[in-house]
Amino acid sequence: MLSAATVRLVGAVLLAAVPAGCAAAQHPAAPARSTSTAPARPPATVTRIAPLPVRTVENSQPTSPEKCPAIDPAAPTPPGNPLVTCDVARTTRYTLGPETLRLELIHVAAPTPLTADFYEVNLTLDPASATAWAAFTTAHLHGHFAFLRDDLVLEAPLIEDPVTSGRIALTTQTLQAAEQLARLAGRPA
């Protein structure tokens, strides 16, 4: 079950690369001409994450799964149209305004425990989305917004502070829900 979440500032962690202390090895001289016919290694493929739509929450109320509207992931609601939908757990019904932003993600971290009762999933935005999200959260303090995937609300936080770190932290109450949240948020494009 997803918690009533908050978007909070997550500090960037800088990792310093420490060279491994390897001594130079003595190797025989390479031949002047290579006789190898091994093909060059192809470049690694990078999986693009699907953009994450953001919509304004106009109304939300508790509900039951049978009262949630049907959705069709193959035919998402157009970005300019309002949307009535539920959260992934199908416990809250939302009335959402048109899409206000579409965030590009470059990484979705595996869930990490915060306490015995809460887990966190961190989303890393690309530079352009990080700049747009920082400006948006600064301009919309105390606004209520929803992150969506396939017309379902992943989480609907209140903006408490400007988010300038380029990261969004989503929280939930069970490991299974956090894993589902990470899987949905990180879905390939």
Side-chain angles (χ1 to χ4, degrees):
M1 175 178 189
L2 295 176
S3 69
T6 60
V7 174
R8 60 185 190 88
L9 180 65
V10 177
V13 177
L14 300 177
L15 300 175
V18 179
C22 296
Q26 297 279 332
H27 295 286
R33 288 193 136 159
S34 173
T35 57
S36 172
T37 59
R41 257 175 106 179
T45 58
V46 176
T47 303
R48 242 181 108 240
I49 299 171
L52 190 65
V54 179
R55 289 176 178 254
T56 304
V57 175
E58 295 175 359
N59 186 22
S60 65
Q61 61 190 31
T63 194
S64 57
E66 62 276 358
K67 292 182 181 175
C68 287
I71 59 157
D72 181 2
T77 301
N81 292 359
L83 171 65
V84 175
T85 190
C86 286
D87 61 338
V88 173
R90 301 179 69 75
T91 60
T92 306
R93 182 180 170 116
Y94 292 92
T95 302
L96 306 173
E99 192 174 294
T100 56
L101 281 175
R102 186 167 281 246
L103 301 172
E104 295 290 336
L105 306 176
I106 56 173
H107 182 70
V108 175
T112 56
L114 291 176
T115 66
D117 297 329
F118 285 94
Y119 291 83
E120 180 176 84
V121 175
N122 283 293
L123 314 179
T124 304
L125 305 172
D126 77 356
S129 288
T131 300
W133 185 241
F136 185 82
T137 57
T138 299
H140 295 91
L141 287 177
H142 310 294
H144 193 188
F145 298 92
F147 300 109
L148 288 102
R149 182 67 77 214
D150 300 330
D151 281 350
L152 287 174
V153 173
L154 295 180
E155 219 169 271
L158 291 172
I159 305 299
E160 294 178 350
D161 297 302
V163 181
T164 59
S165 66
R167 295 178 189 251
I168 297 172
L170 305 178
T171 58
T172 188
Q173 291 182 314
T174 67
L175 179 57
Q176 294 79 12
E179 288 170 341
Q180 181 183 31
L181 183 63
R183 201 171 36 255
L184 288 169
R187 189 189 76 212

